[in-house]
Amino acid sequence: MVKVQTTLTAKNTGDRLSPAEGIVFKAKAQGQQADIVLQPEVGYQKMLGFGGAFTESAAYTLSRMSSEKRSEIINRYFHPVEGLAYSMGRVHIHSCDFSLGNFTYVEDHDKELATFDISHDHKWVLPLIKDAMEVRGGEFTMLASPWSPPAWMKSNGEMNNGGTLLPEYADSWARYYTKFIEAYGKEGVPIWAVSVQNEPAAVQVWDSCEYTAEQERDFVKNHLGPVMHEAGLDAVNIVIWDHNRDIMVERASIVLSDPEAAKYVWGTGIHWYGGEEFEKVGQVHDLFPDKHLLFTEGCQEGGVKLGEWFTGERYGRNMIGDLNQWTEGYLDWNLVLDETGGPNHVGNLCDAPIIADTTTDEIHYNSSYYYIGHFSKYIAPGAVRIGLDSQAKGVLSTAFRNPDGSLALVLMNESDEACSVTLELSGDIAESHLPPHSIVTHVISE
């Protein structure tokens, strides 16, 4: 007997990751055609998990909340039952724009890195990561990304406003990653992967550094890859690109077509700011099927959007679009921001799924929080995406087989009208009702 657990989030209702009446599968009538046919025997990529970024801004904001509210937010993200079951995180290697200012872990011109010291992170970032890992329990997957080398290693002599890595510091900069990985490991925070550079094609007014595709390829091939191997860190993965989908095919191709560079590369990281060209994600998979794809950053720009629904739908649409094109994990940007959408040391204010008002000690859960939960709570690490043939107009869908054998099907209706779709599984059919502007997850088990 098939059992179905249904969870619903819908605009203009009180439904927020709410239990809903389960659908019922019945034998298909002769000649009946379903809108969506599930094909559990067809398998695609295996999921790493879902998570968000442990920025200094997020950690500092939480330090300004009461201990009860800080614990609530950590629980609501990382607890495997009470929260969104996050099992992944991203951390910046020294400062990024969502830091309180520019900082590094070494003294100026210390090419040997003798002064390397992560004590800055002991104040807010590491305590938050450790608390999250404890609440989660079990495996935890951490990506670390640099926004800029130290100013003295760069062509423009500053961490902000782009510039490039000076060739004479390439080995020192590569060793900087290994020092970071080792220091975090000693703190009980194993680093699963590093990306080469956050957004290497962008000159930003905040911490940034440009690499052409050829420069990224050569840095990985001649410096970062060999240095990590020499340090005994060859089990730590390397992620390239870490930027938007729009030119990811060209960027990934130049690096991954070089066997000497590609042997060090786990896969390609993507952001969503350059448009929703999901087919390019799948194109990179088709070109390099032995490499992996990871969504490493996305958020709603332009400050806090309390109560808005389009932000949640943006998450849902992007998650379904990327997951259906071989993406293996999804990392949101800031876990939490304050009432201004910061702090950000250059005023690049953004939204987050949770906004913590540090003046009133109130927590605001945005629509994006609930939309993410429709995936992260029900698609477990190790789940495999399954085949799904959809003729349902206006309904987005994706489906996974969990390690426990259950199937998780996510359906999303962005329109102003309610709709119903029929689902077929193993010759049986069920009907699923979708209110206007809603997302639903069906977990199907024997």
Side-chain angles (χ1 to χ4, degrees):
M1 178 71 183
V2 169
K3 293 182 292 186
V4 183
Q5 172 200 339
T6 296
T7 304
L8 174 68
T9 295
K11 188 179 182 181
N12 299 327
T13 72
D15 290 318
R16 300 290 183 272
L17 286 171
S18 302
E21 192 173 337
I23 57 175
V24 179
F25 280 92
K26 298 176 181 174
K28 183 167 78 165
Q30 192 170 355
Q32 190 177 7
Q33 298 288 317
D35 300 313
I36 296 173
V37 179
L38 295 172
Q39 301 162 327
E41 70 285 354
V42 178
Y44 298 98
Q45 80 273 25
K46 183 186 285 190
M47 285 300 290
L48 284 164
F50 299 86
F54 295 96
T55 61
E56 183 175 50
S57 294
Y60 172 68
T61 295
L62 285 178
S63 79
R64 299 172 67 205
M65 300 294 283
S66 65
S67 59
E68 293 80 12
K69 294 297 174 69
R70 180 181 181 276
S71 294
E72 179 188 327
I73 290 170
I74 295 169
N75 216 51
R76 289 286 298 268
Y77 268 131
F78 294 96
H79 195 281
V81 178
E82 297 166 17
L84 297 193
Y86 272 12
S87 62
M88 296 186 76
R90 185 179 183 218
V91 66
H92 43 94
I93 297 175
H94 58 228
S95 62
C96 69
D97 54 323
F98 281 93
S99 300
L100 303 189
N102 295 127
F103 68 90
T104 72
Y105 302 128
V106 293
E107 293 176 10
D108 284 356
H109 306 292
D110 175 15
K111 192 173 180 179
E112 301 307 313
L113 311 182
T115 59
F116 192 93
D117 179 8
I118 62 162
S119 58
H120 185 106
D121 293 6
H122 282 270
K123 193 164 188 182
W124 298 303
V125 172
L126 277 165
L128 175 58
I129 294 172
K130 290 176 183 180
D131 288 347
M133 289 173 70
E134 186 177 352
V135 167
R136 167 63 192 183
E139 291 284 310
F140 204 86
T141 304
M142 283 290 292
L143 169 71
S145 304
W147 266 242
S148 170
W152 51 272
M153 290 189 184
K154 293 175 66 186
S155 61
N156 65 346
E158 61 168 319
M159 293 184 75
N160 303 339
N161 300 303
T164 58
L165 174 66
L166 293 169
E168 60 264 35
Y169 293 116
D171 265 345
S172 291
W173 182 227
R175 283 191 293 111
Y176 202 103
Y177 297 69
T178 66
K179 292 270 194 184
F180 177 87
I181 294 163
E182 288 163 353
Y184 262 59
K186 283 177 186 162
E187 289 297 319
V189 181
I191 299 297
W192 163 81
V194 291
S195 64
V196 178
Q197 167 65 41
N198 178 72
E199 301 190 344
V203 174
Q204 309 285 24
V205 296
W206 54 86
D207 321 53
S208 48
C209 183
E210 285 187 282
Y211 289 76
T212 64
E214 292 80 8
Q215 286 169 334
E216 186 173 19
R217 174 198 66 200
D218 293 347
F219 179 66
V220 169
K221 176 168 66 173
N222 301 325
H223 304 284
L224 186 59
V227 164
M228 285 176 63
H229 275 244
E230 285 162 21
L233 298 173
D234 45 310
V236 178
N237 297 295
I238 295 175
V239 175
I240 59 165
W241 188 222
D242 204 2
H243 205 165
N244 297 330
R245 303 181 190 101
D246 53 354
I247 58 169
M248 68 179 291
V249 179
E250 303 94 288
R251 291 287 307 217
S253 294
I254 286 169
V255 180
L256 298 178
S257 295
D258 184 319
E260 288 304 303
K263 71 182 182 184
Y264 295 116
V265 176
W266 176 84
T268 304
I270 50 173
H271 299 183
W272 76 20
Y273 308 108
E276 299 180 359
E277 299 170 90
F278 306 120
E279 69 283 354
K280 293 189 173 177
V281 183
Q283 203 176 332
V284 171
H285 171 267
D286 292 343
L287 288 168
F288 307 100
D290 59 328
K291 298 300 182 183
H292 307 270
L293 292 155
L294 178 66
F295 185 86
T296 50
E297 185 188 316
C299 76
Q300 178 59 43
E301 314 91 327
V304 174
K305 310 282 189 236
L306 282 192
E308 291 285 5
W309 205 257
F310 76 90
T311 55
E313 292 187 327
R314 184 181 186 185
Y315 276 83
R317 193 171 60 246
N318 277 269
M319 293 173 86
I320 290 172
D322 284 329
L323 292 173
N324 284 342
Q325 297 287 350
W326 296 89
T327 298
E328 296 175 33
Y330 227 85
L331 283 163
D332 183 31
W333 187 210
N334 296 280
L335 288 165
V336 59
L337 291 171
D338 70 15
E339 63 279 2
T340 71
N344 182 291
H345 71 88
V346 294
N348 179 36
L349 301 176
C350 292
D351 197 18
I354 297 179
I355 296 296
D357 191 322
T358 59
T359 62
T360 64
D361 204 41
E362 289 178 284
I363 304 170
H364 301 280
Y365 294 91
N366 279 322
S367 59
S368 47
Y369 172 86
Y370 299 102
Y371 270 72
I372 293 168
H374 274 269
F375 302 84
S376 64
K377 281 178 73 69
Y378 306 106
I379 300 169
V384 174
R385 182 168 64 92
I386 63 167
L388 182 152
D389 181 14
S390 176
Q391 308 300 319
K393 287 188 172 59
V395 175
L396 301 176
S397 56
T398 192
F400 286 78
R401 180 177 61 251
N402 282 311
D404 67 1
S406 65
L407 303 181
L409 168 66
V410 184
L411 305 172
M412 181 173 149
N413 174 20
E414 281 189 272
S415 78
D416 295 331
E417 304 296 325
C419 66
S420 291
V421 293
T422 50
L423 314 170
E424 181 176 338
L425 175 64
S426 306
D428 292 337
I429 280 194
E431 186 171 31
S432 178
H433 178 70
L434 293 165
H437 295 285
S438 66
I439 184 167
V440 65
T441 303
H442 299 297
V443 178
I444 305 163
S445 55
E446 290 296 328

PDB file of all heavy atoms in Angstrom, residues 255-274:
ATOM      1  N   VAL A 255      38.806  25.307 -18.817  1.00  0.00           N
ATOM      2  CA  VAL A 255      39.528  24.630 -17.729  1.00  0.00           C
ATOM      3  C   VAL A 255      39.453  23.113 -17.893  1.00  0.00           C
ATOM      4  O   VAL A 255      40.481  22.412 -17.832  1.00  0.00           O
ATOM      5  CB  VAL A 255      38.967  25.042 -16.352  1.00  0.00           C
ATOM      6  CG1 VAL A 255      39.735  24.334 -15.237  1.00  0.00           C
ATOM      7  CG2 VAL A 255      39.030  26.563 -16.165  1.00  0.00           C
ATOM      8  N   LEU A 256      38.262  22.598 -18.109  1.00  0.00           N
ATOM      9  CA  LEU A 256      38.063  21.145 -18.069  1.00  0.00           C
ATOM     10  C   LEU A 256      38.531  20.438 -19.329  1.00  0.00           C
ATOM     11  O   LEU A 256      38.686  19.209 -19.330  1.00  0.00           O
ATOM     12  CB  LEU A 256      36.595  20.831 -17.785  1.00  0.00           C
ATOM     13  CG  LEU A 256      36.079  21.332 -16.431  1.00  0.00           C
ATOM     14  CD1 LEU A 256      34.598  21.018 -16.263  1.00  0.00           C
ATOM     15  CD2 LEU A 256      36.884  20.754 -15.269  1.00  0.00           C
ATOM     16  N   SER A 257      38.772  21.190 -20.405  1.00  0.00           N
ATOM     17  CA  SER A 257      39.324  20.568 -21.622  1.00  0.00           C
ATOM     18  C   SER A 257      40.819  20.325 -21.510  1.00  0.00           C
ATOM     19  O   SER A 257      41.409  19.675 -22.372  1.00  0.00           O
ATOM     20  CB  SER A 257      39.045  21.463 -22.843  1.00  0.00           C
ATOM     21  OG  SER A 257      37.665  21.549 -23.079  1.00  0.00           O
ATOM     22  N   ASP A 258      41.432  20.870 -20.477  1.00  0.00           N
ATOM     23  CA  ASP A 258      42.859  20.665 -20.233  1.00  0.00           C
ATOM     24  C   ASP A 258      43.014  19.531 -19.225  1.00  0.00           C
ATOM     25  O   ASP A 258      42.706  19.695 -18.044  1.00  0.00           O
ATOM     26  CB  ASP A 258      43.469  21.955 -19.687  1.00  0.00           C
ATOM     27  CG  ASP A 258      44.980  21.866 -19.498  1.00  0.00           C
ATOM     28  OD1 ASP A 258      45.461  20.803 -19.036  1.00  0.00           O
ATOM     29  OD2 ASP A 258      45.668  22.853 -19.796  1.00  0.00           O
ATOM     30  N   PRO A 259      43.499  18.364 -19.651  1.00  0.00           N
ATOM     31  CA  PRO A 259      43.569  17.203 -18.730  1.00  0.00           C
ATOM     32  C   PRO A 259      44.407  17.461 -17.488  1.00  0.00           C
ATOM     33  O   PRO A 259      44.088  16.962 -16.404  1.00  0.00           O
ATOM     34  CB  PRO A 259      44.188  16.098 -19.582  1.00  0.00           C
ATOM     35  CG  PRO A 259      44.131  16.560 -20.991  1.00  0.00           C
ATOM     36  CD  PRO A 259      44.009  18.044 -20.994  1.00  0.00           C
ATOM     37  N   GLU A 260      45.471  18.250 -17.617  1.00  0.00           N
ATOM     38  CA  GLU A 260      46.338  18.525 -16.478  1.00  0.00           C
ATOM     39  C   GLU A 260      45.652  19.400 -15.433  1.00  0.00           C
ATOM     40  O   GLU A 260      45.923  19.276 -14.237  1.00  0.00           O
ATOM     41  CB  GLU A 260      47.651  19.171 -16.944  1.00  0.00           C
ATOM     42  CG  GLU A 260      48.576  18.205 -17.651  1.00  0.00           C
ATOM     43  CD  GLU A 260      48.893  16.985 -16.787  1.00  0.00           C
ATOM     44  OE1 GLU A 260      49.399  17.160 -15.673  1.00  0.00           O
ATOM     45  OE2 GLU A 260      48.611  15.858 -17.231  1.00  0.00           O
ATOM     46  N   ALA A 261      44.780  20.289 -15.880  1.00  0.00           N
ATOM     47  CA  ALA A 261      43.990  21.093 -14.935  1.00  0.00           C
ATOM     48  C   ALA A 261      42.803  20.288 -14.427  1.00  0.00           C
ATOM     49  O   ALA A 261      42.504  20.271 -13.229  1.00  0.00           O
ATOM     50  CB  ALA A 261      43.513  22.379 -15.605  1.00  0.00           C
ATOM     51  N   ALA A 262      42.130  19.595 -15.367  1.00  0.00           N
ATOM     52  CA  ALA A 262      40.886  18.895 -15.030  1.00  0.00           C
ATOM     53  C   ALA A 262      41.083  17.817 -13.978  1.00  0.00           C
ATOM     54  O   ALA A 262      40.174  17.536 -13.189  1.00  0.00           O
ATOM     55  CB  ALA A 262      40.278  18.282 -16.293  1.00  0.00           C
ATOM     56  N   LYS A 263      42.280  17.216 -13.922  1.00  0.00           N
ATOM     57  CA  LYS A 263      42.494  16.123 -12.961  1.00  0.00           C
ATOM     58  C   LYS A 263      42.383  16.602 -11.515  1.00  0.00           C
ATOM     59  O   LYS A 263      42.130  15.811 -10.611  1.00  0.00           O
ATOM     60  CB  LYS A 263      43.836  15.448 -13.208  1.00  0.00           C
ATOM     61  CG  LYS A 263      45.060  16.265 -12.824  1.00  0.00           C
ATOM     62  CD  LYS A 263      46.338  15.520 -13.161  1.00  0.00           C
ATOM     63  CE  LYS A 263      47.580  16.309 -12.743  1.00  0.00           C
ATOM     64  NZ  LYS A 263      48.814  15.625 -13.154  1.00  0.00           N
ATOM     65  N   TYR A 264      42.548  17.916 -11.306  1.00  0.00           N
ATOM     66  CA  TYR A 264      42.429  18.466  -9.958  1.00  0.00           C
ATOM     67  C   TYR A 264      41.020  18.967  -9.636  1.00  0.00           C
ATOM     68  O   TYR A 264      40.751  19.312  -8.491  1.00  0.00           O
ATOM     69  CB  TYR A 264      43.390  19.644  -9.790  1.00  0.00           C
ATOM     70  CG  TYR A 264      44.857  19.282  -9.866  1.00  0.00           C
ATOM     71  CD1 TYR A 264      45.653  19.783 -10.892  1.00  0.00           C
ATOM     72  CD2 TYR A 264      45.438  18.452  -8.908  1.00  0.00           C
ATOM     73  CE1 TYR A 264      47.014  19.471 -10.958  1.00  0.00           C
ATOM     74  CE2 TYR A 264      46.793  18.130  -8.974  1.00  0.00           C
ATOM     75  CZ  TYR A 264      47.570  18.641 -10.000  1.00  0.00           C
ATOM     76  OH  TYR A 264      48.903  18.333 -10.060  1.00  0.00           O
ATOM     77  N   VAL A 265      40.145  19.046 -10.646  1.00  0.00           N
ATOM     78  CA  VAL A 265      38.862  19.747 -10.491  1.00  0.00           C
ATOM     79  C   VAL A 265      37.718  18.774 -10.232  1.00  0.00           C
ATOM     80  O   VAL A 265      37.500  17.839 -11.008  1.00  0.00           O
ATOM     81  CB  VAL A 265      38.558  20.606 -11.740  1.00  0.00           C
ATOM     82  CG1 VAL A 265      37.177  21.265 -11.628  1.00  0.00           C
ATOM     83  CG2 VAL A 265      39.633  21.667 -11.941  1.00  0.00           C
ATOM     84  N   TRP A 266      36.987  19.017  -9.145  1.00  0.00           N
ATOM     85  CA  TRP A 266      35.783  18.227  -8.845  1.00  0.00           C
ATOM     86  C   TRP A 266      34.638  18.628  -9.768  1.00  0.00           C
ATOM     87  O   TRP A 266      33.926  17.785 -10.295  1.00  0.00           O
ATOM     88  CB  TRP A 266      35.383  18.442  -7.385  1.00  0.00           C
ATOM     89  CG  TRP A 266      34.101  17.771  -6.974  1.00  0.00           C
ATOM     90  CD1 TRP A 266      33.939  16.472  -6.573  1.00  0.00           C
ATOM     91  CD2 TRP A 266      32.792  18.363  -6.909  1.00  0.00           C
ATOM     92  NE1 TRP A 266      32.621  16.224  -6.260  1.00  0.00           N
ATOM     93  CE2 TRP A 266      31.898  17.374  -6.454  1.00  0.00           C
ATOM     94  CE3 TRP A 266      32.288  19.641  -7.184  1.00  0.00           C
ATOM     95  CZ2 TRP A 266      30.527  17.617  -6.284  1.00  0.00           C
ATOM     96  CZ3 TRP A 266      30.936  19.893  -7.018  1.00  0.00           C
ATOM     97  CH2 TRP A 266      30.071  18.878  -6.568  1.00  0.00           C
ATOM     98  N   GLY A 267      34.432  19.937  -9.936  1.00  0.00           N
ATOM     99  CA  GLY A 267      33.334  20.375 -10.775  1.00  0.00           C
ATOM    100  C   GLY A 267      33.197  21.884 -10.818  1.00  0.00           C
ATOM    101  O   GLY A 267      34.102  22.627 -10.432  1.00  0.00           O
ATOM    102  N   THR A 268      32.032  22.324 -11.270  1.00  0.00           N
ATOM    103  CA  THR A 268      31.762  23.739 -11.544  1.00  0.00           C
ATOM    104  C   THR A 268      30.720  24.280 -10.581  1.00  0.00           C
ATOM    105  O   THR A 268      29.679  23.648 -10.369  1.00  0.00           O
ATOM    106  CB  THR A 268      31.259  23.898 -12.995  1.00  0.00           C
ATOM    107  OG1 THR A 268      32.232  23.335 -13.887  1.00  0.00           O
ATOM    108  CG2 THR A 268      31.021  25.355 -13.355  1.00  0.00           C
ATOM    109  N   GLY A 269      30.991  25.449 -10.007  1.00  0.00           N
ATOM    110  CA  GLY A 269      30.042  26.121  -9.128  1.00  0.00           C
ATOM    111  C   GLY A 269      29.304  27.210  -9.880  1.00  0.00           C
ATOM    112  O   GLY A 269      29.868  27.866 -10.761  1.00  0.00           O
ATOM    113  N   ILE A 270      28.030  27.400  -9.528  1.00  0.00           N
ATOM    114  CA  ILE A 270      27.220  28.400 -10.248  1.00  0.00           C
ATOM    115  C   ILE A 270      26.433  29.289  -9.292  1.00  0.00           C
ATOM    116  O   ILE A 270      26.047  28.874  -8.203  1.00  0.00           O
ATOM    117  CB  ILE A 270      26.235  27.738 -11.246  1.00  0.00           C
ATOM    118  CG1 ILE A 270      25.427  26.618 -10.576  1.00  0.00           C
ATOM    119  CG2 ILE A 270      26.967  27.225 -12.471  1.00  0.00           C
ATOM    120  CD1 ILE A 270      24.326  26.044 -11.436  1.00  0.00           C
ATOM    121  N   HIS A 271      26.199  30.539  -9.757  1.00  0.00           N
ATOM    122  CA  HIS A 271      25.337  31.517  -9.086  1.00  0.00           C
ATOM    123  C   HIS A 271      24.158  31.825 -10.010  1.00  0.00           C
ATOM    124  O   HIS A 271      24.175  31.471 -11.179  1.00  0.00           O
ATOM    125  CB  HIS A 271      26.111  32.799  -8.795  1.00  0.00           C
ATOM    126  CG  HIS A 271      27.291  32.615  -7.900  1.00  0.00           C
ATOM    127  ND1 HIS A 271      28.076  33.673  -7.472  1.00  0.00           N
ATOM    128  CD2 HIS A 271      27.845  31.504  -7.339  1.00  0.00           C
ATOM    129  CE1 HIS A 271      29.050  33.228  -6.688  1.00  0.00           C
ATOM    130  NE2 HIS A 271      28.935  31.912  -6.603  1.00  0.00           N
ATOM    131  N   TRP A 272      23.178  32.546  -9.499  1.00  0.00           N
ATOM    132  CA  TRP A 272      21.973  32.767 -10.315  1.00  0.00           C
ATOM    133  C   TRP A 272      21.798  34.203 -10.826  1.00  0.00           C
ATOM    134  O   TRP A 272      20.820  34.523 -11.482  1.00  0.00           O
ATOM    135  CB  TRP A 272      20.725  32.322  -9.560  1.00  0.00           C
ATOM    136  CG  TRP A 272      20.200  33.210  -8.460  1.00  0.00           C
ATOM    137  CD1 TRP A 272      20.428  34.543  -8.219  1.00  0.00           C
ATOM    138  CD2 TRP A 272      19.258  32.789  -7.458  1.00  0.00           C
ATOM    139  NE1 TRP A 272      19.727  34.976  -7.139  1.00  0.00           N
ATOM    140  CE2 TRP A 272      18.986  33.924  -6.647  1.00  0.00           C
ATOM    141  CE3 TRP A 272      18.621  31.578  -7.174  1.00  0.00           C
ATOM    142  CZ2 TRP A 272      18.107  33.863  -5.557  1.00  0.00           C
ATOM    143  CZ3 TRP A 272      17.750  31.529  -6.087  1.00  0.00           C
ATOM    144  CH2 TRP A 272      17.501  32.653  -5.294  1.00  0.00           C
ATOM    145  N   TYR A 273      22.759  35.093 -10.577  1.00  0.00           N
ATOM    146  CA  TYR A 273      22.517  36.511 -10.832  1.00  0.00           C
ATOM    147  C   TYR A 273      22.499  36.885 -12.312  1.00  0.00           C
ATOM    148  O   TYR A 273      22.045  37.966 -12.653  1.00  0.00           O
ATOM    149  CB  TYR A 273      23.559  37.355 -10.093  1.00  0.00           C
ATOM    150  CG  TYR A 273      23.654  37.017  -8.622  1.00  0.00           C
ATOM    151  CD1 TYR A 273      24.758  36.332  -8.120  1.00  0.00           C
ATOM    152  CD2 TYR A 273      22.629  37.351  -7.741  1.00  0.00           C
ATOM    153  CE1 TYR A 273      24.845  35.995  -6.779  1.00  0.00           C
ATOM    154  CE2 TYR A 273      22.710  37.010  -6.397  1.00  0.00           C
ATOM    155  CZ  TYR A 273      23.821  36.339  -5.921  1.00  0.00           C
ATOM    156  OH  TYR A 273      23.905  36.007  -4.598  1.00  0.00           O
ATOM    157  N   GLY A 274      22.989  36.037 -13.182  1.00  0.00           N
ATOM    158  CA  GLY A 274      23.085  36.409 -14.593  1.00  0.00           C
ATOM    159  C   GLY A 274      21.961  35.880 -15.467  1.00  0.00           C
ATOM    160  O   GLY A 274      22.109  35.799 -16.684  1.00  0.00           O
TER     161      GLY A 274
END
